[in-house]
Structures are given as structure tokens and as C-alpha cells.
Amino acid sequence: YKIEELCNGGCQVVVLGTGDEKYENLFRHYAWKYPDRFSAQIYFSNDMARKIYAASDAFLMPSRFEPCGLSQLISMRYGTVPIVRETGGLKDSITDCGDGHGNGFTFKTYDAYDMLGAIYRGVDAYNSKDWKVLVKRALECDMSWGKSANEYIKMYRSLLK
């Protein structure tokens, strides 16, 4: 598992939530093995989720599919930079900062190596002067209904011409 690589590479990981028992047990194991690097909170609490968003530098959402996705949007409201797989609503809301303009880090394939590549690009950015710029960009993202409504009105008016 690539969790070893993350823990030995200087990352700290917090997992919150429930799911397949084999993954819950895997996360518990790493919490036991790396108590200063890995925390497994195998339950869900909205209050705890908000605390984790607020205390984190980056938020990993490696979904196989994600029709909408709110967690990456919430993370940006806290200045927590999202690292997401390019699928569904994640692809619609997060653009890779590799071009100097994105609001997070993305990876294409549902693959541990591709995901680790995005995580390590995030680690490199965190250790550079670019991190503050990226956090600012994430905080300034407007994903509100007001923005969507204005875009719809603009498109509607263009059709009336």
C-alpha cells in the first residue's frame, strides 16, 4: 500500500468516515503503526469534518466517480487546497494549478501512482512560495448559486439576440 510511502514521506493523514470494512481496518492499522502520522476516525461527524477542514493544508478526494461533490468546495472555503481525481463534479470545480492558474491538484486515472504524483506535487508546492498564492486562489473561488444564476442569465440573453 502507498500509505507507507505517504507516512514515510513526511505527510500526515487524517481519515474521517466509514466504508468497506477492509479499508476501515487498513486505516486503523496505519493509525496504530504511525500514531504521529496517521489518524483514523472511523465514524462520521459533520462537526469533526469542519475541524479537519479548518486544520488541514490539503484535502484528498480520490473518488472513482463523483456526480457533484461538495467536500472539495467546502475545503476551499477553509483555504484547504483540494487534491482530486478528475471525474464528475470534481473535474468541473477543481482545475490543476500546474498551469499557474488552477485552484488545486488533479489526477486523471483511478490509480495509486497517479494519485501519489498529485499528492507529491502538492507537497512540493507546500514547501514553496507558491502555496500562499494557491490557498488565496482556492479561497477566492466563487461556486455560489449567484454566480451560476448570472452565467445562466448571460447565456439566456445571448440566445435572445
Side-chain angles (χ1 to χ4, degrees):
Y1 290 107
K2 298 300 173 187
I3 296 172
E4 293 276 348
E5 195 173 318
L6 285 176
C7 291
N8 290 322
C11 292
Q12 289 182 319
V13 178
V14 177
V15 174
L16 173 65
T18 59
D20 290 345
E21 185 176 4
K22 70 179 182 179
Y23 293 116
E24 290 179 358
N25 290 333
L26 178 75
F27 294 147
R28 285 184 185 104
H29 168 75
Y30 283 107
W32 168 81
K33 187 172 182 178
Y34 297 100
D36 60 332
R37 293 269 173 212
F38 200 97
S39 176
Q41 306 301 310
I42 308 300
Y43 64 92
F44 186 77
S45 161
N46 202 26
D47 185 52
M48 179 58 77
R50 299 288 177 161
K51 290 175 183 174
I52 292 170
Y53 287 126
S56 298
D57 296 306
F59 174 76
L60 177 62
M61 195 163 178
S63 301
R64 183 180 303 250
F65 51 86
E66 189 68 50
C68 175
L70 291 175
S71 297
Q72 78 283 7
L73 302 177
I74 295 168
S75 78
M76 289 190 296
R77 298 285 294 186
Y78 284 89
T80 303
V81 177
I83 303 171
V84 304
R85 183 169 165 269
E86 294 179 13
T87 186
L90 301 175
K91 185 176 182 177
D92 293 340
S93 59
I94 307 302
T95 54
D96 195 86
C97 64
D99 66 357
H101 300 287
N103 57 358
F105 297 91
T106 68
F107 57 100
K108 293 185 187 318
T109 59
Y110 192 72
D111 172 82
Y113 295 100
D114 205 11
M115 180 182 75
L116 278 174
I119 291 170
Y120 285 128
R121 286 188 301 117
V123 169
D124 289 344
Y126 180 81
N127 293 317
S128 76
K129 60 181 172 49
D130 298 331
W131 189 257
K132 286 183 181 177
V133 172
L134 183 54
V135 168
K136 185 174 188 275
R137 227 181 280 141
L139 283 165
E140 291 174 346
C141 284
D142 182 3
M143 303 289 180
S144 69
W145 282 112
K147 179 183 178 198
S148 296
N150 286 335
E151 288 178 16
Y152 177 81
I153 290 168
K154 185 177 166 183
M155 179 186 69
Y156 183 76
R157 285 186 177 147
S158 73
L159 294 172
L160 293 176
K161 293 180 182 181

